[in-house]
């Protein structure tokens, strides 16, 4: 059985990354992965300009004129100002070009302006309140390399660099299927022995949050023929993600069908929950994940395996954030498998605290209400006490 790290490395080694790209406008590029080098088309700042509303002047003129200069002219945004005349000061606004001849800007709150004359303080320094041409980036600078995932912050930078469209990798297409004779959609009434389905929805929504084109393949009975037929008629997906039926029970047919029509790269990983998880490929380019049926196992294995696979598929580099927090309560662990505990992460007077939530059974959904992180307990650890340092994987940093 593979360790967590071995399974994750196996996935990264096996992924056949996206081969197709498309060009999108900036407002469509959030969350997409850049497919070519992005270089600045302009310098930023494009010209020397003022950082504040105030007065532009040449510092040598101050002592020569007893710190009082006549006001001559104005530089406002979008203007091309005149040259600053020697022995004068020019009104200037934030973002307006610095006139030739000026080497400093004094903010308006520090001067006294009366009758066409401005009185300056003695403390003026050269170069103050000036944003210099090119100090942020230059035309031709490499802003992004292929494989970078773009945020709104990135797109602000890209827009300011004059770039209007971006080549990105096409979004992965994923088919999501649940298996289980007992599963019923909410809304229908339950017969004895049946339960309401939840994994398929959670998987679809997590994929969509990652910008993946996720298609609902429905819920199948534990019937190998139905799964075979579904897989054969959906061979063009980049990912097929199933839930359930991957364990060792008599009705656990998913592994059997995948091994018939494709190749399984691994089955079972030394983690808890989520041990019965399989990864492999059908044909050249369709990757599959058979996630376990227990709802929490399905969420944990999505986070540990599916997320990095999707990032790598889009030519990105998975870099999951791990934080160190202080345990708000203790937990005893039986050595053997790397365990992931549902936890609540919060700050207490600036200190990051992680509480193990009650109800760690992989069938229990009500602790999900509070879950915003997993605590990772290493395979050989015997657990931790309240106050110990623990490793946490945040799921969101928004605790509202
Ligand atoms: P399995 O992996 O098929 O052996 O299922 C393990 C447990 O998870 C069983 O209790 C199933 O009823 C439950 N389960 C399987 N699939 C789902 C699903 N899609 N939604 C909620 N529970 C499920
Ligand atoms: Mg099942």
């Amino acid at each position: 059985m593979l360790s967590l790290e071995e399974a994750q490395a196996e996935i990264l080694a096996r992924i056949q990354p996206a081969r197709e790209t498309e060009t999108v406008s900036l407002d469509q590029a959030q969350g997409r992965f850049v497919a070519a080098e992005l270089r600045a088309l302009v310098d930023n700042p494009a010209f020397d300009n003022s950082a504040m509303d105030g007065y532009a002047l040449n510092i040598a003129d101050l002592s020569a004129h007893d710190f009082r200069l006549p006001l001559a002219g104005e530089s406002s945004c979008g203007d091309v100002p005149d040259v600053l005349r020697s022995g004068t000061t020019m009104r200037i606004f934030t973002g307006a070009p610095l006139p030739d001849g000026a080497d400093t800007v004094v903010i308006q709150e520090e001067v006294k302006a009366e009758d066409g004359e401005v009185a300056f303080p003695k403390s003026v320094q050269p170069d103050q309140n000036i944003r210099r041409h090119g100090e942020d980036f230059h035309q031709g600078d490499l802003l992004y390399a292929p494989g970078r995932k773009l945020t709104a912050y990135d797109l602000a930078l890209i827009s300011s660099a004059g770039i209007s469209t971006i080549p990105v990798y096409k979004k992965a297409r994923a088919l999501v299927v649940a298996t289980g004779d007992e599963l019923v959609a909410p809304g229908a009434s339950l017969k004895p022995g049946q339960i309401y389905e939840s994994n398929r929805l959670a998987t679809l929504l997590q994929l969509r949050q990652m910008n993946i084109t996720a298609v609902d393949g429905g819920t199948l009975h534990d019937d190998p023929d139905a799964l075979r037929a579904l897989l054969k008629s959906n061979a063009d997906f980049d990912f097929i993600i199933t839930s359930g039926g991957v364990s060792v029970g008599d009705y656990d047919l998913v592994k059997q069908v995948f091994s018939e029509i494709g190749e399984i790269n691994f089955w079972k990983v030394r983690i808890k929950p989520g041990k019965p998880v399989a990864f492999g490929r059908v044909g050249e380019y369709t990757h599959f994940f058979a996630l376990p049926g227990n709802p929490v196992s399905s969420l944990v294995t999505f986070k540990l395996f599916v997320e990095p696979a999707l990032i790598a598929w889009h030519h990105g580099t998975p870099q999951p954030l791990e934080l160190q927090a202080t345990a708000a309560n203790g937990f005893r662990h039986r050595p053997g498998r790397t365990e992931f505990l549902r936890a609540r992460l919060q700050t207490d007077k600036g200190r990051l605290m992680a509480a193990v939530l009650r109800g760690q059974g992989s069938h229990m959904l009500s602790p999900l209400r509070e879950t915003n992180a997993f605590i990772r307990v290493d395979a050989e650890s015997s657990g931790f006490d309240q106050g110990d340092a623990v490793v946490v994987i945040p799921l969101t940093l928004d605790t509202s």
Side-chain angles (χ1 to χ4, degrees), residues 241-289:
I241 304 173
T242 64
S243 136
V246 73
S247 204
V248 291
D250 290 350
Y251 297 95
D252 290 333
L253 47 109
V254 171
K255 185 178 144 264
Q256 174 204 322
V257 172
F258 273 126
S259 58
E260 253 172 56
I261 65 165
E263 67 172 56
I264 294 191
N265 297 131
F266 65 74
W267 174 55
K268 287 195 175 172
V269 181
R270 280 201 304 278
I271 53 170
K272 184 183 176 188
K275 180 172 79 168
V277 56
F279 166 73
R281 202 159 69 198
V282 179
E284 187 88 16
Y285 296 113
T286 304
H287 304 282
F288 71 79
F289 284 96

Side-chain angles (χ1 to χ4, degrees), residues 237 304 329 344 349:
F237 278 91
L304 297 178
N329 47 8
R344 180 81 188 166
K349 301 191 187 78

Side-chain angles (χ1 to χ4, degrees), residues 61-132:
D61 287 337
L62 281 180
S63 44
H65 295 86
D66 198 22
F67 291 85
R68 304 174 76 85
L69 298 174
L71 182 61
E74 178 178 296
S75 177
S76 59
C77 287
D79 241 11
V80 180
D82 294 337
V83 175
L84 179 75
R85 274 193 284 124
S86 176
T88 70
T89 184
M90 191 183 280
R91 184 83 171 107
I92 195 164
F93 299 97
T94 305
L98 188 73
D100 281 346
D103 62 4
T104 194
V105 169
V106 180
I107 64 172
Q108 63 191 37
E109 292 85 343
E110 289 179 356
V111 308
K112 233 169 139 195
E114 253 171 8
D115 302 331
E117 196 180 62
V118 186
F120 292 95
K122 301 257 156 35
S123 57
V124 180
Q125 300 292 319
D127 216 38
Q128 67 184 21
N129 301 315
I130 294 174
R131 305 155 166 177
R132 287 294 176 191

Side-chain angles (χ1 to χ4, degrees), residues 124-175:
V124 180
Q125 300 292 319
D127 216 38
Q128 67 184 21
N129 301 315
I130 294 174
R131 305 155 166 177
R132 287 294 176 191
H133 179 188
E135 70 179 0
D136 188 13
F137 55 79
H138 288 103
Q139 181 179 359
D141 279 357
L142 179 63
L143 300 180
Y144 293 91
R148 246 311 291 272
K149 183 176 175 178
L150 297 175
T151 64
Y153 285 19
D154 294 318
L155 289 155
L157 165 57
I158 290 167
S159 184
S160 76
I163 297 167
S164 59
T165 59
I166 307 181
V168 293
Y169 290 106
K170 280 213 163 153
K171 292 181 185 184
R173 291 180 69 245
L175 179 72

Side-chain angles (χ1 to χ4, degrees), residues 146-357:
R148 246 311 291 272
K149 183 176 175 178
L150 297 175
T151 64
Y153 285 19
D154 294 318
L155 289 155
L157 165 57
I158 290 167
S159 184
S160 76
I163 297 167
S164 59
T165 59
I166 307 181
V168 293
Y169 290 106
K170 280 213 163 153
K171 292 181 185 184
R173 291 180 69 245
L175 179 72
V176 179
V177 183
T179 67
D181 286 339
E182 73 282 29
L183 303 176
V184 173
S189 57
L190 287 184
K191 297 200 184 74
Q194 294 184 327
I195 65 165
Y196 288 124
E197 199 282 325
S198 60
N199 296 345
R200 184 166 50 106
L201 175 70
T203 303
L204 281 166
L205 296 181
Q206 289 177 99
L207 289 167
R208 288 179 189 154
Q209 206 165 34
M210 291 184 74
N211 247 324
I212 307 300
T213 305
V215 175
D216 185 355
T219 294
L220 299 182
H221 281 286
D222 290 319
D223 166 11
D225 289 336
L227 184 59
R228 238 177 248 124
L230 184 101
L231 296 180
K232 285 201 173 134
S233 59
N234 286 287
D236 58 333
F237 278 91
D238 303 305
F239 287 86
I240 295 173
I241 304 173
T242 64
S243 136
V246 73
S247 204
V248 291
D250 290 350
Y251 297 95
D252 290 333
L253 47 109
V254 171
K255 185 178 144 264
Q256 174 204 322
V257 172
F258 273 126
S259 58
E260 253 172 56
I261 65 165
E263 67 172 56
I264 294 191
N265 297 131
F266 65 74
W267 174 55
K268 287 195 175 172
V269 181
R270 280 201 304 278
I271 53 170
K272 184 183 176 188
K275 180 172 79 168
V277 56
F279 166 73
R281 202 159 69 198
V282 179
E284 187 88 16
Y285 296 113
T286 304
H287 304 282
F288 71 79
F289 284 96
L291 305 185
N294 273 312
V296 179
S297 311
S298 155
L299 297 172
V300 167
T301 49
F302 187 95
K303 183 77 191 164
L304 297 178
F305 303 121
V306 181
E307 262 190 37
L310 290 167
I311 293 167
W313 188 89
H314 290 92
H315 298 249
T317 308
Q319 287 172 309
L321 190 61
E322 289 190 343
L323 306 174
Q324 199 181 79
T326 303
N329 47 8
F331 181 79
R332 297 272 62 84
H333 174 247
R334 190 150 58 93
R337 292 188 269 162
T338 307
E339 183 157 3
F340 292 87
L341 303 173
R342 278 161 296 161
R344 180 81 188 166
L345 196 60
Q346 51 196 41
T347 49
D348 179 17
K349 301 191 187 78
R351 200 153 72 129
L352 202 55
M353 304 293 297
V356 181
L357 296 170

